[in-house]
Amino acid sequence: MTVAPSRDFSLPANSPRSLAYKLLVCVLVSIMWQAAQADAVDPPASMFSFNGFGTAGVVHSSEAQADFTSSSIKPNGAGYSHNWSVDVDSRIGAQLTADITPQLSAVVQVIAEQGYDNTYKPNVEWANVKYQFTSDFGVRLGRIELPTFLVSDFRKVGYANPWVRPPIEVYGVAPLTNNDGVDVSYRLHFGDVTNTLRGAYGSSYKLNLPGIVVNTHNLWGIFDTAEYAAVVFHASYLQAKATVEPPTALFGAFRQFGPAGIAIADENELSNKSVSIVTFGASYDPGGWFAMSEWTRISSHSFLGVNTAWYVSGGYRIGKFTPYITSSQITASKASDSGLAAADFPAEFAGTIAALDAGLEAILASTNHIQRSDSVGGRWDVAKNIDLKLQYDRMRIGADSTGTLINIQPGFKQDDTVNIFSATVDFVF
């Protein structure tokens, strides 16, 4: 789903779901604290493991009339807002895992990265408990990652990825990264092939935008991963209901023009509409080199339209240096943009109809993502658990589109090329 910027994991303060989530976090923290106190007596028996990760990055864009950013839910980036931006890729995170019993475990992951208010307020990315009934069957409850893509589990851990960032044409326009609910996994073995089937149900976080809130609920998904030696195949289907609150005033105005206006509003308004994501991916990494590719289709019967995206990437490891190349693309089909026919209404409504049609066209244009990127970069593992990456992206924006850029200014030229230069230092501890 491609909506303009911001993310907020907060819930209504007194809602049952909010209280349940807060209780779960308290229970996890309490269990971990009590166990830590016990471990103080016998440190070697500690059930805890603590990990951290982070990225410090800087990005420059040649386009001064729009912002390049790594996600559709960031407020600004490199280009118009900042000549050089440190907010596009920079983040820091920490994860605490507790193996309470051989079957029961818990994990909490917190990440601080740019929010819509331009602060780095920490957010809870994961907070769940897992019970492993058998070696192949497990259930998790709480806030859990959504394994929509090949690298979903570690998409925000820069050190674990070969690129500066996962290709934005695929990853940048799908902001759903976790789910508040339940997750069930079952692993099957067919000779040397291991197949893991997962199912998820729940509701994802809210997206808080200026003056509106996008709610996603009734989320469910099926995810399948097959592994054979150095080969990995991944497929997934994810669906959720999405609603914009309060209702968009533009569509309310359309409804005042009878059946024709109601039809336009019903087709384009995001009100309890299904949004689905279908993904197929594969990777091959025998050690000395890697190749990977993914294809995704994001559909919604609303102004969001349909986005289809893919990428192909590969690299070769030469000691501590890994050069790589990537080609990626996103195309879109807009929802209805015919608008109202002024000739069908009295002449005194012509000005109002023209304004409504212009507003509809502007909303549809903002989600008409047409973009092709060719990237080249290199990774240098400078020390244990630290890497340095440099990447150049040549983005070609399609006609009648702003691509994945945000904060578009009047002087922006469509059907043009944008050059992006990025440098990051990734670390884990």
Side-chain angles (χ1 to χ4, degrees), residues 198-232:
R198 292 175 60 176
Y201 180 80
S203 58
S204 191
Y205 50 78
K206 296 180 179 180
L207 297 175
N208 280 358
L209 314 177
I212 64 171
V213 174
V214 179
N215 278 305
T216 57
H217 56 281
N218 289 353
L219 180 149
W220 64 274
I222 299 175
F223 317 91
D224 189 70
T225 303
E227 302 173 76
Y228 174 74
V231 180
V232 176

Side-chain angles (χ1 to χ4, degrees), residues 73-232:
I73 54 178
K74 284 182 176 285
N76 54 58
Y80 170 72
S81 298
H82 307 283
N83 189 30
W84 291 87
S85 174
V86 299
D87 297 315
V88 176
D89 300 302
S90 298
R91 67 174 59 89
I92 190 165
Q95 178 174 314
L96 181 63
T97 304
D99 295 314
I100 302 166
T101 71
Q103 291 78 34
L104 182 64
S105 62
V107 62
V108 174
Q109 185 184 95
V110 177
I111 296 178
E113 59 185 339
Q114 183 193 28
Y116 189 75
D117 57 359
N118 279 321
T119 69
Y120 278 70
K121 179 178 66 176
N123 286 309
V124 178
E125 184 74 9
W126 304 344
N128 59 76
V129 292
K130 179 179 181 180
Y131 194 84
Q132 197 71 32
F133 289 90
T134 71
S135 59
D136 295 320
F137 174 61
V139 176
R140 292 187 293 180
L141 178 66
R143 177 162 291 172
I144 309 160
E145 80 278 2
L146 283 171
T148 309
F149 303 107
L150 272 173
V151 303
S152 286
D153 290 0
F154 48 89
R155 64 187 292 178
K156 294 189 176 185
V157 184
Y159 185 83
N161 291 297
W163 329 276
V164 163
R165 68 188 70 85
I168 60 171
E169 285 76 11
V170 172
Y171 286 76
V173 296
L176 301 181
T177 60
N178 58 32
N179 171 49
D180 290 341
V182 62
D183 169 283
V184 178
S185 64
Y186 188 72
R187 189 163 53 233
L188 298 169
H189 304 275
F190 305 96
D192 294 330
V193 177
T194 300
N195 189 86
T196 304
L197 182 65
R198 292 175 60 176
Y201 180 80
S203 58
S204 191
Y205 50 78
K206 296 180 179 180
L207 297 175
N208 280 358
L209 314 177
I212 64 171
V213 174
V214 179
N215 278 305
T216 57
H217 56 281
N218 289 353
L219 180 149
W220 64 274
I222 299 175
F223 317 91
D224 189 70
T225 303
E227 302 173 76
Y228 174 74
V231 180
V232 176

Side-chain angles (χ1 to χ4, degrees), residues 163 165-172 294 310-313 326-328:
W163 329 276
R165 68 188 70 85
I168 60 171
E169 285 76 11
V170 172
Y171 286 76
E294 289 185 89
W310 58 264
Y311 75 85
V312 177
S313 183
T326 304
S327 184
S328 52

